Amino acid sequence: MKPVLTLTLLVALLGAWPPASAAGTAPTLTRLRTEYKENPLGIDARQPRFSWELSSTERGVMQSAYEIRVALSEPLLAKRPIWTTGRVTSDSSIHHAYAGPALESRRRYFWQVRVWDGAGQASSWSAPAWFEMGLLAAADWSAKWISPEAQPDPAKPSPSPLLRSTFTISSQVASARAYVSSLGLYELEVNGRKVGDQLFTPGWTSFDTRLQYQTYDVTDLLTRGENAVGISLGDGWYKGTLAWDGNRNIWGDRLGAIAQIEVTYKNGRRQMMATGDAWKASTGPILRSGIYEGEIYDARLEKPGWTRPGYADTGWGRVIVLDTQRKDVLIAPAGPPVRKTLEVKPLKIIKTPHGETVFDMGQNMVGHVRLSVNGPAGTVVTLRHAEILDADGNFYTTNLRKAAQTVTYTLKGGGPEVYEPHFSFQGFRYVAVSGLPSEAALDQVTGVVVHSDTPFTGRFETSDPLINRLQQNIQWAQRGNFLDVPTDCPQRDERLGWTGDAQVFARTAAFNADVAGFFTKWLGDVAADQKPNGSLPHVIPDALSHGKPDGGAGATGWSDATVIVPWTMYLAYGDKQLLERQYDSMKKWVGFMRQQAGDAAVWRTGEHFGDWLAYATTRSDYPGATTDKDLLATAHFAYSAGLLQRMAAVLGRTDDARELAALQARIKEAFNKEFVTPNGRLASNTQTAYVLALAFELLPEPLRAQAAARLAADVKGFDMHLTTGFLGTPYLCRTLSDSGYLDVAYGLLTQKTYPSWLYPVTKGATTIWERWDGIKPDGSLQDPGMNSFNHYAYGAVGAWLYSVVAGLDLDPAEPAYKHILIQPRPGGGLTSASAVLQSMHGEIASAWTLENGALTLNVTVPANTHASVRIPGAKEAAVKEGGAAVGQAPGVRSVRADGDSVVVEVGSGKYSFTCPAAR
Ligand code: BGC
């Protein structure tokens, strides 16, 4: 064995030695992020925030100070930084805002960081990271908004316009950028190649006031001499069919584009090529496209070479300049782009009783099909998409309502053809194919999964395959419904940013993926679309009441997204700036409720969805599950006022905090007077009523225990079933497990009959269903008017799986997992559970097993954080870490008994705790 290996082995065996206080090896710095992104191109935050991770194999590693420096190039970082913090005493490694000289449009900046650990030992400077600014001011846009002169009837879908131009590159290019946006969707090509890997650009926002542009590095696409650029457009959300009643043209009735390619030559000269009146317009093979409709594509109409130099565009029409279209609405994306992230191969080809040829993808997914086909020109292949087969095994599309989600491809002939739709997505597991020139073969269809590319950060697993499938279904529902905005469902004629769905699922979403940027973007639209009276439209961006000053807004539990989502993001990512930015919007919403509730502080007005889709009883021996809407509204009023109070305190707005605390106390009092009997019975004797009263801490202490007992009794009395809808479900298990009814919470989790989380799993679900019984026990289907099989709301139980079953949770007092709470609660017959989370500070893990009468709990605490590890059912003397007495273990700061648990305070590192299992 070589000496170096021996040393490595020795280090591994010694593990955490020497202890934290002694000087060990300084940490290394990794994952440098600017505004949540690694090396982002084209941002517009004027004071971007820097975050980094410390990485170390030692235990108890903390940062005691840091230094950041920023420069105009890598070599200048050491020599001539434009800004440096100097050594700052701080243990914070996230969200440090740049505060140097004003950042300039288009410029790339480099930064790096070094830190000092707890022993005062300095790390090396990190590897440099960079960020590049986009266009910060409307005046940076020389390009003009353009649109084809010839305009089709806006009342109907029409062929996708193509826009093209050419330009000459006269010398060697050092770098080139394209800045692009559109009214409608766009795809950009330069010299015959699609630029970038993003889909559904420029994304979906409150277009009137916020329209994203993308920045692309096109350096490698340019050649000396003539170059060509082309933009194709699709109706998308902006102009296409959206919501119901054939509603179109919500934000505008004319497609358009703006683009500028800026070239910097090696000799320092700069050149700009921009959209303007010299561009030409035509149409091509996309005869129509729509988010719901699908796409009709005739390959015989392709214009080969239209984005290459040398193409003859004689016969193309003119464009006009859209003088009234604003440029000051253009913003850089805060969230991740939509991309293709996975491919799914079909499992089998089915011949249905009706004779359809159907590919089974084996997974309900969102995206599109890549079709491979070979046949004569003019052959028309049709792809229809559905989520399920009906009880007879036939292709079932009734639940799609008016969304055709049908793709039609007409072959050009002459050899193998491969086609993917451009401006539409489909929600499907099954694909019915007709018109193929020969017998269908499995390799002709590939499912392409498309969604906002939020990095998946979380994993959760147990010893129970059904619960694991539930977790996978939650993740698939998240994939399918995070498509630039958080949507309710991805298949029927809806696919809208329903606020209620987003708020109930946000906490779970933040376990599964890094959704900080995704929700930061959406919350910008929430604030932008808020009604003047402070109420919030039901969907954001506002496709349902766009342009109306009021109406279609202000539903309890839905509009509360404006308060709940920022708070949830703050907890998971520690983002105070987001709270600051949303503050006015949150305050306006609480103000709206206050005005509605009046002096009585009981909210009785307005239209509400209530505890949406709660169990509708048909049993005479069950009292029912419909919760009074006034109760729900007043409960959420109190909850949002309370959250806003906490946020005001975080932001140091002490006057507001004081006033909100008083308001919340008044609402609670009113709630108790109006909805709670002196003995603690609620006006609505439903699971949801008790859950919310407990979870939102509305009841006085003496009534809490008996409210919890009533809740548990209700569940048990209904043979261990839940009856909650959208508003009660997210808090159900947590409320039970926090109130001494862990066994009841597990009873619900492991329940396999309707209504329950596992019932759909036993029916073969591969995503979360909208209804507890989308497919009924007898195989018949729920009301097709509303029966989505990909709806994440009930997947909100995911947060409980991570935080209680596996026991990986956060402490609101030290958000972003700066202080981690590891507190697993084994139960439900499980013999193991584990959760892993890539947090802002690094990887956290909590994994327990029960084996041979012993509980083993393996924990990872990232550097620069600390954790309280609660070992359930343990006695201090019996707890070991790494085989030795727990109190002696390096990294362990203290050990104490708390009830029937032992709580160990630890610094960073990997730990393995064991103790005899509780009986
Ligand atoms: C959507 C929901 C939404 C609801 C409002 C439905 O059509 O699909 O998920 O929250 O309307 O109650």
Side-chain angles (χ1 to χ4, degrees), residues 452-498:
S452 286
D453 197 2
T454 54
F456 268 68
T457 49
R459 284 200 312 275
F460 169 82
E461 227 179 335
T462 70
S463 51
D464 182 337
L466 290 183
I467 296 173
N468 296 345
R469 185 66 234 191
L470 171 67
Q471 161 65 9
Q472 286 162 27
N473 292 359
I474 296 170
Q475 289 200 330
W476 274 102
Q478 180 163 340
R479 274 191 195 103
N481 283 294
F482 275 39
L483 207 148
D484 217 50
V485 307
T487 62
D488 55 335
C489 59
Q491 72 300 79
R492 68 179 179 224
D493 53 350
E494 196 140 354
R495 315 181 187 196
L496 302 171
W498 280 96

Short mmCIF file of all heavy atoms in Angstrom, two decimals, residues 452-498:
data_model
loop_
_atom_site.label_atom_id
_atom_site.label_comp_id
_atom_site.label_asym_id
_atom_site.label_seq_id
_atom_site.Cartn_x
_atom_site.Cartn_y
_atom_site.Cartn_z
N SER A 452 -39.86 23.25 -15.45
CA SER A 452 -38.88 24.21 -14.92
C SER A 452 -37.75 23.42 -14.30
O SER A 452 -37.98 22.55 -13.45
CB SER A 452 -39.54 25.09 -13.85
OG SER A 452 -40.39 26.02 -14.46
N ASP A 453 -36.54 23.75 -14.69
CA ASP A 453 -35.42 22.91 -14.29
C ASP A 453 -34.93 23.29 -12.89
O ASP A 453 -33.79 23.71 -12.70
CB ASP A 453 -34.31 23.05 -15.34
CG ASP A 453 -33.30 21.92 -15.23
OD1 ASP A 453 -33.50 21.03 -14.38
OD2 ASP A 453 -32.32 21.95 -15.99
N THR A 454 -35.82 23.15 -11.93
CA THR A 454 -35.46 23.34 -10.52
C THR A 454 -34.61 22.14 -10.12
O THR A 454 -35.09 21.00 -10.22
CB THR A 454 -36.72 23.36 -9.64
OG1 THR A 454 -37.46 22.16 -9.90
CG2 THR A 454 -37.61 24.55 -9.94
N PRO A 455 -33.38 22.34 -9.67
CA PRO A 455 -32.57 21.17 -9.33
C PRO A 455 -33.27 20.33 -8.26
O PRO A 455 -33.73 20.88 -7.25
CB PRO A 455 -31.29 21.79 -8.77
CG PRO A 455 -31.29 23.21 -9.20
CD PRO A 455 -32.71 23.62 -9.41
N PHE A 456 -33.38 19.03 -8.49
CA PHE A 456 -34.01 18.17 -7.47
C PHE A 456 -33.04 17.99 -6.31
O PHE A 456 -31.93 17.50 -6.50
CB PHE A 456 -34.48 16.86 -8.09
CG PHE A 456 -35.92 16.98 -8.55
CD1 PHE A 456 -36.26 17.80 -9.61
CD2 PHE A 456 -36.94 16.33 -7.87
CE1 PHE A 456 -37.58 17.97 -10.00
CE2 PHE A 456 -38.27 16.50 -8.25
CZ PHE A 456 -38.59 17.32 -9.31
N THR A 457 -33.45 18.43 -5.14
CA THR A 457 -32.55 18.49 -3.99
C THR A 457 -32.88 17.45 -2.93
O THR A 457 -32.09 17.26 -2.01
CB THR A 457 -32.66 19.88 -3.32
OG1 THR A 457 -34.05 20.17 -3.14
CG2 THR A 457 -32.02 20.95 -4.17
N GLY A 458 -34.05 16.84 -3.00
CA GLY A 458 -34.48 15.99 -1.90
C GLY A 458 -34.72 14.55 -2.31
O GLY A 458 -35.13 14.28 -3.44
N ARG A 459 -34.45 13.65 -1.37
CA ARG A 459 -34.79 12.23 -1.57
C ARG A 459 -35.41 11.73 -0.29
O ARG A 459 -34.97 12.06 0.80
CB ARG A 459 -33.53 11.40 -1.86
CG ARG A 459 -32.97 11.53 -3.24
CD ARG A 459 -32.07 10.34 -3.59
NE ARG A 459 -31.09 10.00 -2.57
CZ ARG A 459 -29.90 10.58 -2.44
NH1 ARG A 459 -29.55 11.53 -3.26
NH2 ARG A 459 -29.07 10.19 -1.50
N PHE A 460 -36.45 10.94 -0.43
CA PHE A 460 -37.08 10.36 0.75
C PHE A 460 -37.40 8.90 0.44
O PHE A 460 -37.93 8.61 -0.64
CB PHE A 460 -38.37 11.11 1.11
CG PHE A 460 -39.19 10.40 2.14
CD1 PHE A 460 -38.89 10.54 3.49
CD2 PHE A 460 -40.23 9.56 1.77
CE1 PHE A 460 -39.62 9.84 4.45
CE2 PHE A 460 -40.97 8.87 2.72
CZ PHE A 460 -40.67 9.01 4.06
N GLU A 461 -37.08 8.03 1.37
CA GLU A 461 -37.30 6.60 1.13
C GLU A 461 -37.59 5.87 2.44
O GLU A 461 -37.07 6.28 3.48
CB GLU A 461 -36.03 6.00 0.52
CG GLU A 461 -36.30 5.12 -0.67
CD GLU A 461 -35.01 4.58 -1.25
OE1 GLU A 461 -33.96 5.22 -1.05
OE2 GLU A 461 -35.05 3.52 -1.87
N THR A 462 -38.37 4.82 2.34
CA THR A 462 -38.65 4.01 3.54
C THR A 462 -38.57 2.54 3.19
O THR A 462 -38.31 2.18 2.03
CB THR A 462 -40.08 4.25 4.08
OG1 THR A 462 -41.01 3.68 3.13
CG2 THR A 462 -40.41 5.72 4.26
N SER A 463 -38.86 1.71 4.18
CA SER A 463 -38.88 0.26 3.94
C SER A 463 -40.17 -0.18 3.26
O SER A 463 -40.32 -1.34 2.92
CB SER A 463 -38.72 -0.48 5.28
OG SER A 463 -39.67 0.03 6.21
N ASP A 464 -41.11 0.75 3.05
CA ASP A 464 -42.41 0.37 2.48
C ASP A 464 -42.50 0.83 1.01
O ASP A 464 -42.53 2.04 0.74
CB ASP A 464 -43.52 1.04 3.31
CG ASP A 464 -44.91 0.66 2.82
OD1 ASP A 464 -45.05 0.28 1.63
OD2 ASP A 464 -45.86 0.77 3.62
N PRO A 465 -42.55 -0.11 0.08
CA PRO A 465 -42.57 0.26 -1.34
C PRO A 465 -43.77 1.13 -1.72
O PRO A 465 -43.66 1.97 -2.61
CB PRO A 465 -42.65 -1.08 -2.08
CG PRO A 465 -42.42 -2.14 -1.08
CD PRO A 465 -42.58 -1.56 0.29
N LEU A 466 -44.90 0.97 -1.05
CA LEU A 466 -46.06 1.78 -1.41
C LEU A 466 -45.83 3.25 -1.02
O LEU A 466 -46.19 4.17 -1.77
CB LEU A 466 -47.33 1.27 -0.72
CG LEU A 466 -47.89 -0.07 -1.22
CD1 LEU A 466 -49.18 -0.41 -0.48
CD2 LEU A 466 -48.13 -0.05 -2.71
N ILE A 467 -45.24 3.46 0.15
CA ILE A 467 -44.94 4.84 0.56
C ILE A 467 -43.87 5.43 -0.36
O ILE A 467 -43.92 6.61 -0.72
CB ILE A 467 -44.52 4.89 2.04
CG1 ILE A 467 -45.71 4.45 2.91
CG2 ILE A 467 -44.06 6.29 2.44
CD1 ILE A 467 -45.39 4.30 4.38
N ASN A 468 -42.93 4.61 -0.77
CA ASN A 468 -41.92 5.10 -1.71
C ASN A 468 -42.56 5.51 -3.03
O ASN A 468 -42.20 6.50 -3.65
CB ASN A 468 -40.85 4.03 -1.97
CG ASN A 468 -40.07 3.72 -0.71
OD1 ASN A 468 -40.13 4.47 0.26
ND2 ASN A 468 -39.36 2.62 -0.72
N ARG A 469 -43.56 4.73 -3.45
CA ARG A 469 -44.25 5.09 -4.69
C ARG A 469 -45.03 6.40 -4.49
O ARG A 469 -45.08 7.24 -5.38
CB ARG A 469 -45.18 3.95 -5.12
CG ARG A 469 -45.88 4.15 -6.46
CD ARG A 469 -44.91 4.17 -7.65
NE ARG A 469 -45.07 5.37 -8.44
CZ ARG A 469 -44.52 5.57 -9.64
NH1 ARG A 469 -43.76 4.64 -10.21
NH2 ARG A 469 -44.68 6.69 -10.28
N LEU A 470 -45.61 6.55 -3.31
CA LEU A 470 -46.30 7.82 -3.02
C LEU A 470 -45.33 9.00 -3.17
O LEU A 470 -45.64 10.00 -3.81
CB LEU A 470 -46.88 7.79 -1.60
CG LEU A 470 -47.44 9.11 -1.07
CD1 LEU A 470 -48.69 9.54 -1.85
CD2 LEU A 470 -47.77 9.00 0.43
N GLN A 471 -44.15 8.85 -2.59
CA GLN A 471 -43.14 9.92 -2.70
C GLN A 471 -42.78 10.17 -4.17
O GLN A 471 -42.66 11.31 -4.62
CB GLN A 471 -41.91 9.55 -1.87
CG GLN A 471 -40.62 10.30 -2.21
CD GLN A 471 -40.70 11.80 -1.93
OE1 GLN A 471 -41.65 12.29 -1.32
NE2 GLN A 471 -39.70 12.54 -2.42
N GLN A 472 -42.60 9.10 -4.93
CA GLN A 472 -42.29 9.30 -6.37
C GLN A 472 -43.44 10.00 -7.07
O GLN A 472 -43.23 10.84 -7.94
CB GLN A 472 -42.02 7.95 -7.04
CG GLN A 472 -40.68 7.35 -6.67
CD GLN A 472 -40.62 5.87 -7.00
OE1 GLN A 472 -41.30 5.39 -7.90
NE2 GLN A 472 -39.81 5.13 -6.25
N ASN A 473 -44.65 9.63 -6.70
CA ASN A 473 -45.81 10.28 -7.32
C ASN A 473 -45.85 11.77 -7.01
O ASN A 473 -46.22 12.59 -7.86
CB ASN A 473 -47.11 9.61 -6.86
CG ASN A 473 -47.24 8.18 -7.38
OD1 ASN A 473 -46.36 7.70 -8.10
ND2 ASN A 473 -48.31 7.51 -7.02
N ILE A 474 -45.47 12.11 -5.78
CA ILE A 474 -45.43 13.53 -5.42
C ILE A 474 -44.38 14.23 -6.28
O ILE A 474 -44.63 15.32 -6.82
CB ILE A 474 -45.09 13.69 -3.91
CG1 ILE A 474 -46.18 13.09 -3.03
CG2 ILE A 474 -44.89 15.18 -3.57
CD1 ILE A 474 -45.82 13.00 -1.54
N GLN A 475 -43.23 13.62 -6.43
CA GLN A 475 -42.18 14.26 -7.24
C GLN A 475 -42.58 14.38 -8.71
O GLN A 475 -42.31 15.38 -9.35
CB GLN A 475 -40.87 13.48 -7.12
CG GLN A 475 -40.25 13.64 -5.73
CD GLN A 475 -38.77 13.33 -5.69
OE1 GLN A 475 -38.29 12.51 -6.46
NE2 GLN A 475 -38.05 13.94 -4.76
N TRP A 476 -43.26 13.35 -9.21
CA TRP A 476 -43.71 13.44 -10.61
C TRP A 476 -44.78 14.53 -10.77
O TRP A 476 -44.82 15.22 -11.78
CB TRP A 476 -44.23 12.09 -11.11
CG TRP A 476 -43.14 11.23 -11.64
CD1 TRP A 476 -42.52 10.17 -11.03
CD2 TRP A 476 -42.49 11.35 -12.93
NE1 TRP A 476 -41.56 9.65 -11.84
CE2 TRP A 476 -41.51 10.34 -13.01
CE3 TRP A 476 -42.65 12.21 -14.01
CZ2 TRP A 476 -40.69 10.18 -14.14
CZ3 TRP A 476 -41.83 12.05 -15.13
CH2 TRP A 476 -40.87 11.05 -15.19
N ALA A 477 -45.63 14.66 -9.76
CA ALA A 477 -46.65 15.72 -9.84
C ALA A 477 -45.99 17.08 -9.80
O ALA A 477 -46.44 18.02 -10.46
CB ALA A 477 -47.65 15.57 -8.69
N GLN A 478 -44.91 17.18 -9.05
CA GLN A 478 -44.18 18.46 -8.99
C GLN A 478 -43.52 18.75 -10.35
O GLN A 478 -43.62 19.87 -10.86
CB GLN A 478 -43.13 18.39 -7.88
CG GLN A 478 -42.33 19.67 -7.74
CD GLN A 478 -41.59 19.76 -6.41
OE1 GLN A 478 -41.94 19.07 -5.45
NE2 GLN A 478 -40.57 20.60 -6.33
N ARG A 479 -42.86 17.74 -10.90
CA ARG A 479 -42.27 17.93 -12.24
C ARG A 479 -43.31 18.43 -13.22
O ARG A 479 -43.09 19.36 -13.98
CB ARG A 479 -41.77 16.59 -12.78
CG ARG A 479 -40.42 16.24 -12.35
CD ARG A 479 -39.89 15.04 -13.15
NE ARG A 479 -38.74 14.58 -12.41
CZ ARG A 479 -38.73 13.51 -11.63
NH1 ARG A 479 -39.79 12.73 -11.56
NH2 ARG A 479 -37.66 13.19 -10.95
N GLY A 480 -44.46 17.74 -13.22
CA GLY A 480 -45.46 18.01 -14.23
C GLY A 480 -46.16 19.35 -14.07
O GLY A 480 -46.72 19.87 -15.02
N ASN A 481 -46.12 19.88 -12.86
CA ASN A 481 -46.89 21.10 -12.61
C ASN A 481 -46.04 22.31 -12.29
O ASN A 481 -46.56 23.36 -11.95
CB ASN A 481 -47.90 20.85 -11.50
CG ASN A 481 -49.09 20.07 -12.00
OD1 ASN A 481 -49.85 20.54 -12.83
ND2 ASN A 481 -49.24 18.83 -11.54
N PHE A 482 -44.73 22.17 -12.38
CA PHE A 482 -43.86 23.33 -12.27
C PHE A 482 -43.35 23.64 -13.66
O PHE A 482 -42.24 23.31 -14.02
CB PHE A 482 -42.70 23.06 -11.30
CG PHE A 482 -43.06 23.30 -9.85
CD1 PHE A 482 -44.30 22.95 -9.35
CD2 PHE A 482 -42.15 23.87 -8.97
CE1 PHE A 482 -44.64 23.17 -8.02
CE2 PHE A 482 -42.47 24.10 -7.63
CZ PHE A 482 -43.72 23.74 -7.16
N LEU A 483 -44.22 24.20 -14.45
CA LEU A 483 -43.83 24.53 -15.82
C LEU A 483 -43.92 26.05 -15.95
O LEU A 483 -44.94 26.60 -16.28
CB LEU A 483 -44.74 23.81 -16.82
CG LEU A 483 -44.07 23.54 -18.17
CD1 LEU A 483 -44.58 22.26 -18.80
CD2 LEU A 483 -44.20 24.68 -19.12
N ASP A 484 -42.85 26.67 -15.54
CA ASP A 484 -42.68 28.11 -15.48
C ASP A 484 -43.54 28.79 -14.42
O ASP A 484 -43.13 29.78 -13.84
CB ASP A 484 -42.87 28.79 -16.84
CG ASP A 484 -41.88 29.95 -16.94
OD1 ASP A 484 -40.69 29.72 -16.68
OD2 ASP A 484 -42.30 31.07 -17.24
N VAL A 485 -44.76 28.29 -14.19
CA VAL A 485 -45.53 28.75 -13.03
C VAL A 485 -46.02 27.50 -12.31
O VAL A 485 -46.10 26.43 -12.91
CB VAL A 485 -46.73 29.65 -13.43
CG1 VAL A 485 -46.29 30.80 -14.32
CG2 VAL A 485 -47.82 28.86 -14.09
N PRO A 486 -46.36 27.63 -11.03
CA PRO A 486 -46.93 26.47 -10.35
C PRO A 486 -48.38 26.28 -10.79
O PRO A 486 -49.20 27.15 -10.54
CB PRO A 486 -46.84 26.85 -8.86
CG PRO A 486 -46.79 28.34 -8.84
CD PRO A 486 -46.21 28.80 -10.14
N THR A 487 -48.67 25.20 -11.45
CA THR A 487 -50.02 25.02 -11.99
C THR A 487 -50.81 24.00 -11.18
O THR A 487 -50.25 23.23 -10.41
CB THR A 487 -50.00 24.54 -13.46
OG1 THR A 487 -49.34 23.28 -13.53
CG2 THR A 487 -49.28 25.54 -14.33
N ASP A 488 -52.12 24.00 -11.40
CA ASP A 488 -52.98 23.03 -10.73
C ASP A 488 -52.84 21.65 -11.39
O ASP A 488 -52.76 20.64 -10.73
CB ASP A 488 -54.44 23.47 -10.77
CG ASP A 488 -54.94 23.76 -12.18
OD1 ASP A 488 -54.11 24.07 -13.05
OD2 ASP A 488 -56.15 23.68 -12.42
N CYS A 489 -52.84 21.65 -12.71
CA CYS A 489 -52.80 20.40 -13.47
C CYS A 489 -52.22 20.71 -14.85
O CYS A 489 -52.21 21.85 -15.28
CB CYS A 489 -54.22 19.83 -13.60
SG CYS A 489 -55.37 20.95 -14.43
N PRO A 490 -51.73 19.69 -15.51
CA PRO A 490 -51.03 19.93 -16.78
C PRO A 490 -51.74 19.37 -18.01
O PRO A 490 -51.13 19.28 -19.07
CB PRO A 490 -49.74 19.16 -16.56
CG PRO A 490 -50.19 17.96 -15.76
CD PRO A 490 -51.40 18.37 -14.97
N GLN A 491 -52.99 18.96 -17.88
CA GLN A 491 -53.58 18.22 -19.01
C GLN A 491 -54.89 18.81 -19.54
O GLN A 491 -55.06 18.98 -20.73
CB GLN A 491 -53.76 16.74 -18.65
CG GLN A 491 -54.88 16.40 -17.65
CD GLN A 491 -54.75 17.02 -16.30
OE1 GLN A 491 -55.08 18.18 -16.13
NE2 GLN A 491 -54.27 16.27 -15.31
N ARG A 492 -55.84 19.17 -18.67
CA ARG A 492 -57.12 19.65 -19.16
C ARG A 492 -57.03 21.14 -19.53
O ARG A 492 -55.97 21.76 -19.40
CB ARG A 492 -58.22 19.40 -18.13
CG ARG A 492 -58.08 20.22 -16.88
CD ARG A 492 -59.23 19.92 -15.92
NE ARG A 492 -59.10 20.69 -14.70
CZ ARG A 492 -59.29 20.17 -13.49
NH1 ARG A 492 -59.59 18.89 -13.33
NH2 ARG A 492 -59.17 20.94 -12.42
N ASP A 493 -58.15 21.72 -19.93
CA ASP A 493 -58.12 23.13 -20.33
C ASP A 493 -58.10 24.03 -19.10
O ASP A 493 -59.05 24.74 -18.81
CB ASP A 493 -59.33 23.46 -21.23
CG ASP A 493 -60.65 23.05 -20.60
OD1 ASP A 493 -60.63 22.35 -19.56
OD2 ASP A 493 -61.70 23.44 -21.13
N GLU A 494 -57.00 23.95 -18.37
CA GLU A 494 -56.85 24.73 -17.16
C GLU A 494 -55.37 25.11 -17.03
O GLU A 494 -54.99 26.17 -17.43
CB GLU A 494 -57.37 23.92 -15.95
CG GLU A 494 -57.58 24.80 -14.76
CD GLU A 494 -58.84 24.48 -13.95
OE1 GLU A 494 -59.63 23.63 -14.33
OE2 GLU A 494 -58.99 25.11 -12.89
N ARG A 495 -54.54 24.27 -16.42
CA ARG A 495 -53.08 24.48 -16.40
C ARG A 495 -52.72 25.89 -15.95
O ARG A 495 -51.86 26.55 -16.55
CB ARG A 495 -52.48 24.23 -17.79
CG ARG A 495 -52.99 22.97 -18.46
CD ARG A 495 -52.35 22.75 -19.82
NE ARG A 495 -52.98 21.62 -20.50
CZ ARG A 495 -52.46 21.00 -21.54
NH1 ARG A 495 -51.31 21.37 -22.03
NH2 ARG A 495 -53.10 19.99 -22.10
N LEU A 496 -53.39 26.36 -14.91
CA LEU A 496 -53.24 27.75 -14.48
C LEU A 496 -52.52 27.84 -13.14
O LEU A 496 -52.47 26.87 -12.39
CB LEU A 496 -54.63 28.39 -14.37
CG LEU A 496 -55.47 28.36 -15.65
CD1 LEU A 496 -56.90 28.82 -15.36
CD2 LEU A 496 -54.84 29.23 -16.73
N GLY A 497 -52.02 29.01 -12.84
CA GLY A 497 -51.27 29.22 -11.60
C GLY A 497 -52.17 29.41 -10.40
O GLY A 497 -52.15 30.45 -9.75
N TRP A 498 -52.95 28.38 -10.09
CA TRP A 498 -53.89 28.45 -8.95
C TRP A 498 -53.12 28.68 -7.66
O TRP A 498 -52.27 27.88 -7.26
CB TRP A 498 -54.72 27.16 -8.86
CG TRP A 498 -55.85 27.14 -9.83
CD1 TRP A 498 -55.87 26.56 -11.06
CD2 TRP A 498 -57.14 27.76 -9.66
NE1 TRP A 498 -57.08 26.78 -11.67
CE2 TRP A 498 -57.89 27.50 -10.84
CE3 TRP A 498 -57.74 28.50 -8.64
CZ2 TRP A 498 -59.19 27.96 -11.02
CZ3 TRP A 498 -59.04 28.95 -8.81
CH2 TRP A 498 -59.75 28.68 -9.99
#
